[in-house]
């Protein structure tokens, strides 16, 4: 059951990621990107990380994917890219994949199976955020405010 | 039984797909989406590490999940600023193609 779910989600996520990286039509690529994000969120739920899975759905699928679709609509123009293919990029990507697989194969705890039925509750994460991680949380709040103001200033600048 | 290695393998494949997208595509928005895929691959391996590393009581170590929460927040800020830059660039240059934006190229 668990293995079947893992296999299904892995195939869904990876094929959606391939489509997002390869499709010519920008809107189709953005929709495949959203599907890949949903697949990653499903992985989080499968791993018992319910809070992170919900955050992934809210932030990535709810906000980031919609923002990307908005940007595509704002910057739409007819031409697509047919300006040759960069074969050295393929070689570099394959080299990175080989390095990653080499590093994964050297992981000591590679064949650890999961303990059944342990999930991290939202309560535990909330207590950790409010005790051990309270300063990073404040810094992230400041960063988000700065990013919000920065994005507004960047986009509004033309209208002066 | 699904082991830690399976999750790391999927995460590595996802990272490579995002990396290939950044290297091979010429559209800024596609490059941006591929960047987000790479961030998601790193997050996936962090959550997998958090799940498979249990303490003596059988509880998972949730520091990894807190870390993923912070990464998602910073990525959201990055998306807001990055997409605003893309929109401003499109207004100035009428293109989102990286090869048309080469003023700084030596």
């Amino acid at each position: 059951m668990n293995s079947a779910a893992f296999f299904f989600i892995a195939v869904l996520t990876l094929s959606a990621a391939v489509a997002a990286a390869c499709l010519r039509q920008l809107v189709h690529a953005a929709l495949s990107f959203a599907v890949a994000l949903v697949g990653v969120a499903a992985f989080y739920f499968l791993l018992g990380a319910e809070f992170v899975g919900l955050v992934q759905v809210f932030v990535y699928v709810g906000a980031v994917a919609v923002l990307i679709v908005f940007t595509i609509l704002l910057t739409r123009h007819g031409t697509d890219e047919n300006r040759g293919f960069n074969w050295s990029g393929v070689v570099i990507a394959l080299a990175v994949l080989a390095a990653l697989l080499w590093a994964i194969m050297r992981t000591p705890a590679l064949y650890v199976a999961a303990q059944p039925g342990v999930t991290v509750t939202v309560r535990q994460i909330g207590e950790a955020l409010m005790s051990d991680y309270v300063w990073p949380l404040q810094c992230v709040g400041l960063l988000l405010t700065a990013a919000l103001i920065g994005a507004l200033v960047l986009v509004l600048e033309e209208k002066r | 039984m699904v082991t830690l290695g399976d999750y790391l393998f999927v995460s590595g494949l996802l990272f490579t797909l995002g990396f290939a997208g950044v290297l091979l595509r010429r559209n800024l928005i596609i490059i941006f989406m591929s960047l987000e895929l790479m961030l998601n691959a790193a997050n996936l391996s962090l959550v997998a590490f958090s799940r498979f590393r249990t303490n003596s009581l059988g509880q998972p170590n949730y520091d990894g999940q807190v870390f993923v929460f912070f990464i998602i927040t910073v990525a959201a800020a990055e998306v807001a600023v990055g997409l605003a830059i893309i929109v401003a660039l499109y207004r100035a240059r009428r293109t989102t193609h990286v090869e048309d934006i080469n003023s700084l190229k030596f």
Side-chain angles (χ1 to χ4, degrees):
Chain A
M1 167 58 199
N2 212 354
S3 310
F6 175 83
F7 187 72
F8 177 72
I9 298 170
V11 169
L12 177 83
T13 308
L14 290 176
S15 49
V18 169
C22 294
L23 283 179
R24 296 270 160 201
Q25 279 282 334
L26 281 180
V27 180
H28 296 173
L31 291 179
S32 315
F33 175 65
V35 172
L37 294 181
V38 171
V40 174
F43 270 132
Y44 293 163
F45 286 119
L46 198 63
L47 283 165
E50 291 160 1
F51 174 70
V52 175
L54 273 179
V55 167
Q56 168 90 4
V57 171
F58 288 154
V59 174
Y60 267 111
V61 185
V64 171
V66 173
L67 261 181
I68 285 178
V69 171
F70 266 121
T71 312
I72 290 172
L73 295 182
L74 281 176
T75 63
R76 172 177 294 234
H77 64 306
T79 61
D80 59 344
E81 37 175 319
N82 275 322
R83 304 197 191 182
F85 194 73
N86 186 4
W87 284 106
S88 58
V90 178
V91 174
I92 296 172
L94 286 178
V96 166
L97 178 64
L100 280 176
L101 290 182
W102 177 76
I104 289 170
M105 286 304 162
R106 286 171 57 89
T107 307
L110 195 59
Y111 298 109
V112 175
Q115 312 275 331
V118 275
T119 57
V120 174
T121 59
V122 182
R123 181 192 179 91
Q124 283 171 304
I125 292 190
E127 281 172 354
L129 277 179
M130 282 299 154
S131 56
D132 292 341
Y133 294 95
V134 68
W135 283 110
L137 193 69
Q138 302 295 324
C139 294
V140 156
L142 196 66
L143 176 80
L144 277 179
T145 314
L148 182 70
I149 297 171
L152 278 177
V153 168
L154 273 173
V155 178
L156 284 181
E157 206 175 23
E158 293 280 311
K159 287 191 175 173
R160 265 184 277 162
Chain B
M1 197 64 201
V2 184
T3 59
L4 177 61
D6 298 332
Y7 282 100
L8 291 184
F9 185 65
V10 171
S11 166
L13 278 180
L14 202 60
F15 185 90
T16 310
L17 282 171
F19 190 70
V22 169
L23 283 184
L24 298 177
R25 298 302 299 267
R26 313 280 169 79
N27 191 300
L28 268 179
I29 299 173
I30 301 270
I31 289 176
F32 206 78
M33 288 196 290
S34 305
L35 215 63
E36 294 300 315
L37 278 183
M38 289 161 75
L39 274 172
N40 270 289
N43 281 348
L44 178 60
S45 60
L46 278 175
V47 174
F49 285 136
S50 143
R51 175 70 173 84
F52 285 91
R53 187 180 188 281
T54 50
N55 61 14
S56 55
L57 296 175
Q59 286 275 330
N61 186 338
Y62 51 82
D63 282 344
Q65 300 189 16
V66 176
F67 199 43
V68 168
F69 170 73
F70 283 120
I71 293 178
I72 289 178
T73 320
V74 174
E78 176 229 330
V79 164
V81 175
L83 290 180
I85 288 175
I86 291 178
V87 170
L89 199 60
Y90 180 76
R91 281 182 182 161
R93 294 293 190 86
R94 312 307 292 174
T95 181
T96 54
H97 203 282
V98 284
E99 286 181 352
D100 296 335
I101 306 164
N102 53 4
S103 311
L104 282 177
K105 199 173 179 181
F106 182 63

